[in-house]
Amino acid sequence: GAIIRAANSFLAREIMILGDEPHYEKASMGMEKYENVVRLPAEADFFAQVQGRPVWAVEKDHARTSLYDVRAFPRDVVLVFGSERAGLPAAFVARAHEVIGIPMYGVNHSFPVAVAAGIVMNEWARQKHARPELQQ
């Protein structure tokens, strides 16, 4: 729910939810009414849905680059965030065009997924709105 709310603030084009677990509607503050929320039952459905678009995974333990080193998100990028407990399945990490991590400085091992999504979407939106050629 909180990710849906944040996605609305950063003008994401769509939100894909994999699986049949319900999202916490109260945390979205009603923003799911204004967003294109697509539910997909399995990984294969996700990759069919995003075919031809760059998929960037956000996964700290398998990051190839830091969010702070991203100079430009590609047009039509699909940002993928994993669960709070298990992160992203290996299939997502293996098939991602890029895997980015968010630098952390405290003793915690990871951010809550809604916080991580907000940090990454903020940087994506900052770059996108500063560069008209990336407008979707």
Side-chain angles (χ1 to χ4, degrees):
I3 293 172
I4 293 171
R5 183 177 178 192
N8 180 268
S9 297
F10 297 121
L11 303 177
R13 185 171 60 203
E14 68 185 341
I15 300 153
M16 291 176 249
I17 300 174
L18 189 61
D20 58 3
E21 290 290 322
H23 67 276
Y24 183 49
E25 287 188 29
K26 189 172 183 180
S28 72
M29 300 293 289
M31 292 300 109
E32 72 274 359
K33 298 173 195 165
Y34 305 103
E35 290 301 315
N36 179 23
V37 179
V38 178
R39 288 200 169 268
L40 301 165
E43 290 176 22
D45 301 298
F46 169 81
F47 284 107
Q49 177 86 7
V50 301
Q51 189 172 11
R53 294 168 62 188
V55 174
W56 281 29
V58 178
E59 176 61 53
K60 178 181 163 282
D61 292 336
H62 302 287
R64 296 182 211 140
T65 193
S66 165
L67 174 64
Y68 298 162
D69 292 331
V70 174
R71 296 291 170 240
F73 286 91
R75 184 181 177 98
D76 295 328
V77 67
V78 177
L79 299 170
V80 181
F81 304 92
S83 73
E84 295 209 12
R85 288 199 175 125
L88 280 171
F92 279 92
V93 174
R95 292 183 72 176
H97 296 95
E98 185 60 84
V99 183
I100 59 176
I102 304 167
M104 296 185 73
Y105 305 105
V107 296
N108 289 325
H109 177 69
S110 65
F111 289 112
V113 69
V115 171
I119 291 168
V120 174
M121 286 190 289
N122 179 71
E123 179 58 17
W124 166 79
R126 186 190 70 78
Q127 289 184 20
K128 177 183 170 196
H129 297 295
R131 299 181 60 208
E133 70 273 15
L134 296 179
Q135 297 294 317
Q136 298 175 7

